[in-house]
Amino acid sequence: QDCNNILEDSDDENEVAFLSHLLSGVALPEDPFGGVDSSWKEVETFETVVAIDDVDIELLSVARAEVKVVLDRLVTKMFGQKPRVKKKITPGQILKVFFPSNILSTIRAQINQHIAGPTLQSDELASLIQIELLLSCYGTTPTSFFSIDNRELYPAASRVMRHDRYAQVLKALSKSQMSYENVFTGCWNPPMQHERTLAKMMDMVRVLCAEIGYVKEKSILSLDDDLLRLRSKLVQSVGLSHTNNPAKGLGVVHHGIVSIATGLYLPVGGHIASRGETTEDSVKILLRGLCGVSAESQINVPNLLAYDRGYGGPGGSIHETAVSYGCE
């Protein structure tokens, strides 16, 4: 009935004929507005075979090759060499892989430089990391986590760092006006300067995670950015590039690369652009971290790199930069 209504509403004889033939199963015309051809026409044959690869099979193949390499690297970092027999691996052993002594010493030095209390010890730093993991796991705030009323909900709170000590460490990590005064020279350090310690720590973490998760010529890389909203005036004083996005707010832009097949966040920590750094600079820093090289001229990433339209399309500066470094 709906088909008949369509035919009745049409004023074009050609269109009526086209629809009549279409509904009756007659061959489709070449041009519905130039007359109806009721005869079938043979399609010209050609030698080219068109096929669609199974994406899931391809990704599974890449993931299998990546996982084998990544597991071997993790075992080597945990035990020094690949063991012949399976060993029981604890979460603590895996955690130590991502927190080697050079990264922990840098964090401790940064905290002890500004802490208003006893010097932070190694066991306290481990407790601090444990608290942050628990807060992330429970999805709660430090106030709620340490509250006496929530002891049954968070029993681990009684076995980690005290709340007042935790607050001291967080305050030492925050950027305060006191840190603008150099205690050694007495000179005033102006705000909005390049954060050397932050840049150093991000670079160390990027290289470490790339050593574990990045497999040359195998990993399929996904480049993406995200806006981290500023939570306080003190954060605005840090020498990072700020972006005011009407849809997301005021914040710093964070760039990162993920392995599509394994889901591993390769340069963990990614890169937060400093003032004056462009998006192209950030991409170069991430790719340099993947290779673990010191100079841009040494970058070689012969992998498939995917990114969203925010980085521009083919012919743009980001695309040309990635291609020049071997990316597909």
Side-chain angles (χ1 to χ4, degrees):
Q1 183 178 359
D2 293 337
C3 295
N4 293 331
N5 293 335
I6 295 175
L7 294 177
E8 292 175 359
D9 295 338
S10 177
D11 297 331
D12 192 316
E13 294 181 0
N14 289 330
E15 184 178 352
V16 172
F18 166 69
L19 292 174
S20 298
H21 283 74
L22 179 62
L23 295 174
S24 61
V26 181
L28 294 177
E30 294 181 354
D31 183 6
F33 300 102
V36 177
D37 187 356
S38 59
S39 62
W40 290 94
K41 292 185 178 295
E42 295 184 1
V43 178
E44 295 182 4
T45 59
F46 51 90
E47 299 296 331
T48 305
V49 177
V50 179
I52 300 177
D53 295 332
D54 193 318
V55 178
D56 292 335
I57 294 178
E58 177 65 21
L59 292 178
L60 181 59
S61 175
V62 174
R64 284 172 173 168
E66 267 192 275
V67 168
K68 183 180 183 303
V69 176
V70 171
L71 290 179
D72 288 344
R73 291 173 179 174
L74 282 173
V75 170
T76 302
K77 283 186 173 292
M78 283 187 286
F79 303 108
Q81 59 183 0
K82 185 177 179 180
R84 296 181 180 178
V85 295
K86 294 183 179 179
K87 294 185 177 180
K88 183 179 180 181
I89 301 175
T90 64
Q93 289 174 314
I94 299 177
L95 188 63
K96 288 180 180 179
V97 173
F98 294 94
F99 286 96
S101 58
N102 62 328
I103 293 180
L104 293 178
S105 61
T106 303
I107 297 175
R108 281 187 58 198
Q110 176 69 10
I111 295 174
N112 289 329
Q113 185 177 358
H114 304 290
I115 195 168
T119 302
L120 186 73
Q121 303 300 320
S122 299
D123 58 338
E124 289 184 305
L125 180 56
S127 181
L128 173 68
I129 296 173
Q130 184 179 0
I131 293 174
E132 296 300 326
L133 292 175
L134 289 171
L135 293 177
S136 177
C137 179
Y138 288 124
T140 187
T141 62
T143 303
S144 177
F145 178 76
F146 286 105
S147 175
I148 299 177
D149 300 331
N150 296 331
R151 284 183 176 179
E152 295 184 358
L153 291 176
Y154 313 120
S158 60
R159 302 192 298 268
V160 294
M161 184 184 298
R162 300 190 319 273
H163 191 189
D164 57 343
R165 181 60 170 170
Y166 175 76
Q168 280 185 348
V169 176
L170 285 189
K171 188 175 181 180
L173 284 171
S174 66
K175 189 71 176 178
S176 64
Q177 296 294 330
M178 294 296 295
S179 62
Y180 295 145
E181 182 179 354
N182 192 314
V183 296
F184 300 104
T185 63
C187 299
W188 179 69
N189 296 327
M192 302 296 182
Q193 292 188 110
H194 178 66
E195 284 290 330
R196 294 186 178 182
T197 303
L198 179 61
K200 177 183 177 182
M201 291 177 64
M202 285 194 298
D203 192 56
M204 287 192 298
V205 176
R206 279 194 299 266
V207 173
L208 170 67
C209 295
E211 289 176 351
I212 297 173
Y214 169 62
V215 181
K216 198 170 184 179
E217 298 181 350
K218 282 292 183 181
S219 299
I220 302 177
L221 311 176
S222 175
L223 172 66
D224 197 10
D225 61 346
D226 193 19
L227 183 72
L228 305 181
R229 297 185 63 180
L230 300 180
R231 300 293 298 272
S232 68
K233 293 183 178 179
L234 296 180
V235 181
Q236 297 182 20
S237 302
V238 181
L240 301 174
S241 179
H242 297 162
T243 299
N244 190 8
N245 189 325
K248 299 180 180 179
L250 175 65
V252 295
V253 180
H254 173 267
H255 302 270
I257 296 179
V258 179
S259 170
I260 293 179
T262 63
L264 292 176
Y265 193 20
L266 300 182
V268 173
H271 179 70
I272 300 176
S274 298
R275 292 178 63 85
E277 288 181 355
T278 63
T279 302
E280 185 177 352
D281 293 331
S282 299
V283 174
K284 290 179 179 179
I285 291 173
L286 288 176
L287 295 178
R288 183 172 58 83
L290 280 179
C291 301
V293 296
S294 56
E296 293 181 5
S297 58
Q298 298 173 300
I299 299 176
N300 180 27
V301 184
N303 296 73
L304 181 63
L305 176 65
Y307 51 84
D308 60 23
R309 59 184 179 182
Y311 288 95
S317 61
I318 304 299
H319 177 80
E320 296 297 330
T321 299
V323 171
S324 67
Y325 293 144
C327 298
E328 299 179 8

